[in-house]
């Protein structure tokens, strides 16, 4: 056993050295962003690499999972901790499979360097594998929506991935109580629930309603759930007339006013009986949910109100999650779309006076199945007054979807080359014209590397 322990440590430190050398070579050759390849090589050298990493975390390890909002929620949590002058390890670029998580540890861990917190976004299907090696102190689950059918299957499959992880972990759960599928994870566990009591839309620019088809969810007794308030998709105040099952009591009660470019949240903490106010400079109710999850997690980790407030108000999303850029002088908003519910919520927030580029690829990371386009509420764009340009490998499929959404064909431009499509949108000399880009995941990766 002593020999196995010694050999394990040798493999671990060898992997650390090799990771640094590999990353340096990648940068010198300018061949990759290095978000997963280093991690893949690290795990080949030391398959148990992640099991050695927890000892480098002094306070808490936090994992964030769910269909939508993982990157923004984990980014907000990390930003709050950094505002509290803590040392953080965080897979900030969103590489959320085992290789991506191993990657961030391999490039940051040093033998005598410790971190206060680890904030790890985890793909739903890989969460249980992560917990085989790395014990988390908190697990935040954002929501469960129908996603890439060819990768995740139906919602019951995705839920089983997360449940399997929970069953092998002692992590304290921080759960979205407004999602009946997420609430189920808290049965018999130490769970903290957050949700919205009231939602008010305070902008004429964005639509609060959606034409996207609603999922129908049954209670555990088999009867359909009823709603007294339904905010979007299955999110809301639900109950069962048959058995009395209902949305659980909240630890953090949210009240939100959603404006065109920001939201104002009031959060009532049941534990201390106080209300706290926050301003979030991100668009949409879906981002307000992400902020509420992050705020709940921060409070649970003992961060004071003023630190959380300042961090939330200063947070700027990155990497296509309401990311703001200037392209050829034009203010540009980039919003990832990848599944029906997420896309429909993003589409509610689109500036219809902007030039719109929709870039859809069907690579493995996007999901080969693009049927989700037909369940997404692209009808929200039928009153768009600017250019509407479809791009990517499925540009023609997207153009067809827009035709059936009620956008005249003569107003739809098809340009498969993504950079060329964006250049068309940014061609005007009038810098007052804004641009909205709605890419799938691999299209977003390409756009992040483009220079204009």
């Amino acid at each position: 056993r002593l020999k196995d322990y010694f050999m394990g440590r040798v493999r671990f430190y060898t992997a650390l050295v090799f990771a640094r050398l590999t990353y340096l070579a990648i940068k010198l050759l300018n061949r990759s962003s290095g978000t997963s390849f280093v991690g893949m090589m690290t795990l080949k050298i030391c398959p148990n690499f992640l099991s050695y990493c927890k000892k480098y975390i002094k306070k808490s390890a936090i994992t964030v999972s769910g269909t939508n909002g993982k990157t923004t929620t984990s980014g907000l949590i990390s930003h709050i901790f950094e505002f509290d002058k803590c040392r953080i390890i965080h897979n900030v670029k969103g590489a959320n499979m085992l290789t991506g998580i191993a990657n961030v540890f391999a490039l940051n861990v040093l033998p005598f360097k410790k971190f206060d917190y680890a904030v790890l976004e985890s793909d739903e299907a890989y969460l249980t594998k992560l917990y085989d090696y790395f014990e988390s102190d908190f697990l935040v689950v954002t929501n469960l929506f129908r996603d890439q059918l060819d990768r995740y299957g139906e919602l019951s499959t995705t839920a089983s991935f997360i449940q399997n992880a929970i069953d092998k972990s002692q992590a304290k759960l921080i759960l979205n109580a407004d999602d009946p599928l997420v609430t189920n994870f808290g049965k018999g566990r130490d769970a903290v629930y957050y949700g919205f009591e009231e939602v008010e839309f305070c902008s004429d620019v964005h639509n609060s309603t959606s034409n996207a088809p609603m999922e129908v969810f049954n209670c555990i007794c088999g009867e359909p759930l009823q709603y007294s308030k339904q905010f979007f998709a299955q999110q809301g105040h639900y109950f069962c007339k048959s058995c009395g099952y209902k949305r659980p009591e909240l630890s953090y009660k949210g009240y939100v006013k959603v404006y065109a470019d920001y939201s104002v949240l009031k959060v009532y903490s049941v534990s201390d009986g106080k209300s706290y106010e926050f301003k979030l400079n991100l668009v949409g109710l879906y981002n307000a949910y992400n902020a509420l999850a992050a705020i709940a997690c921060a409070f649970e980790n003992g961060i004071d109100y003023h630190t959380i407030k300042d961090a939330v108000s200063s947070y700027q999303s990155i990497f296509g999650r309401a990311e703001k850029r200037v392209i050829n002088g034009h203010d540009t908003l980039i919003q990832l779309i990848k599944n029906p519910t997420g896309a429909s919520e993003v589409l509610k927030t689109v500036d219809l006076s902007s030039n719109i580029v929709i870039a859809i690829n069907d690579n493995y990371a996007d999901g080969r199945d693009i049927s989700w386009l037909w369940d997404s509420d692209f009808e929200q764009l039928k009153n768009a007054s600017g250019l509407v340009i479809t791009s990517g490998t499925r540009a023609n499929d997207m153009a067809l979807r827009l035709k059936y959404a009620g956008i005249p064909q003569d107003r739809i431009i098809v340009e498969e080359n993504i950079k060329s499509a964006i250049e068309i949108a940014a061609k005007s000399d009038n810098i007052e014209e804004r641009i909205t880009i709605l890419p799938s995941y691999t299209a977003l990766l390409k756009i992040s590397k483009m220079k204009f």
Side-chain angles (χ1 to χ4, degrees), residues 123-420:
D123 179 276
E124 305 94 288
Y126 281 82
L127 184 64
T128 184
K129 296 178 183 178
L130 173 62
Y131 283 0
D132 284 336
Y133 302 101
F134 189 88
E135 178 61 35
S136 182
D137 300 294
F138 293 88
L139 170 60
V140 180
V141 185
T142 57
N143 48 60
L144 282 180
F145 300 135
R146 185 159 54 88
D147 205 0
Q148 304 161 14
L149 294 178
D150 52 337
R151 287 188 61 206
Y152 295 100
E154 291 295 341
L155 278 170
S156 58
T157 304
T158 307
S160 70
F161 291 149
I162 297 178
Q163 187 64 62
N164 289 339
I166 289 171
D167 289 344
K168 65 174 65 171
S169 169
Q170 297 301 312
K172 186 173 186 177
L173 306 181
I174 301 176
L175 304 176
N176 178 1
D178 292 350
D179 188 324
L181 299 178
V182 172
T183 299
N184 285 332
F185 296 136
K187 291 176 184 175
R189 291 294 300 257
D190 181 14
V192 169
Y193 293 101
Y194 66 90
F196 282 112
E197 296 292 284
E198 299 287 347
V199 173
E200 181 181 353
F201 291 91
C202 303
S203 169
D204 294 331
V205 176
H206 299 154
N207 192 357
S208 63
T209 60
S210 174
N211 299 309
M214 289 286 189
E215 299 277 0
V216 176
F217 293 94
N218 287 346
C219 177
I220 51 176
C221 73
E223 293 296 316
L225 286 173
Q226 307 293 314
Y227 283 83
S228 58
K229 294 179 182 178
Q230 193 162 9
F231 302 132
F232 70 90
Q234 74 268 23
Q235 313 277 321
H237 299 186
Y238 48 86
F239 60 95
C240 177
K241 289 183 177 179
S242 178
C243 70
Y245 175 73
K246 62 180 181 180
R247 174 176 175 258
E249 292 296 319
L250 304 184
S251 304
Y252 297 95
K253 299 181 179 182
Y255 304 80
V256 63
K257 293 184 177 182
V258 182
Y259 295 88
D261 298 316
Y262 66 94
S263 292
V264 175
L265 290 78
K266 285 187 178 179
V267 179
Y268 176 77
S269 171
V270 172
S271 64
D272 63 14
K274 295 180 180 178
S275 290
Y276 304 94
E277 186 167 305
F278 306 87
K279 182 182 178 184
L280 175 70
N281 292 307
L282 299 177
V283 300
L285 176 58
Y286 56 97
N287 273 321
Y289 267 106
N290 297 334
L292 184 57
I295 290 164
C297 182
F299 275 131
E300 287 298 307
N301 278 274
I303 308 299
D304 72 271
Y305 163 60
H306 292 289
T307 298
I308 301 173
K309 178 184 178 182
D310 292 343
V312 169
S313 66
S314 66
Y315 180 75
Q316 294 183 343
S317 188
I318 61 169
F319 200 52
R321 280 71 171 182
E323 178 186 357
K324 294 178 180 179
R325 289 178 62 179
V326 176
I327 296 179
N328 292 351
H330 299 273
D331 289 338
T332 302
L333 183 65
I334 306 172
Q335 299 234 64
L336 173 71
I337 56 173
K338 62 174 186 170
N339 55 44
T341 299
S344 297
E345 287 303 300
V346 166
L347 287 163
K348 289 180 187 178
T349 71
V350 170
D351 179 354
L352 297 180
S353 67
S354 66
N355 291 332
I356 301 167
V357 178
I358 309 173
I360 303 297
N361 286 342
D362 61 351
N363 298 315
Y364 173 75
D366 304 293
R368 301 288 188 185
D369 176 14
I370 61 161
S371 62
W372 63 272
L373 297 176
W374 295 90
D375 291 332
S376 303
D377 191 14
F378 285 99
E379 283 71 14
Q380 297 278 1
L381 303 182
K382 63 185 176 183
N383 293 322
S385 58
L387 300 176
V388 182
I389 307 161
T390 65
S391 190
T393 58
R394 303 308 287 263
N396 287 300
D397 299 84
M398 189 67 248
L400 180 65
R401 174 67 184 94
L402 294 180
K403 172 188 172 183
Y404 281 94
I407 299 174
Q409 281 184 282
D410 59 6
R411 290 190 46 237
I412 301 170
I413 300 171
V414 178
E415 172 50 70
E416 291 188 15
N417 183 281
I418 297 173
K419 186 169 185 180
S420 297

Side-chain angles (χ1 to χ4, degrees), residues 408-443:
Q409 281 184 282
D410 59 6
R411 290 190 46 237
I412 301 170
I413 300 171
V414 178
E415 172 50 70
E416 291 188 15
N417 183 281
I418 297 173
K419 186 169 185 180
S420 297
I422 295 172
E423 286 173 341
I424 292 171
K427 192 174 183 179
S428 172
D429 291 332
N430 180 7
I431 61 171
E432 295 299 319
E433 286 189 2
R434 294 176 297 279
I435 301 170
T436 299
I437 303 176
L438 307 175
S440 64
Y441 183 68
T442 63

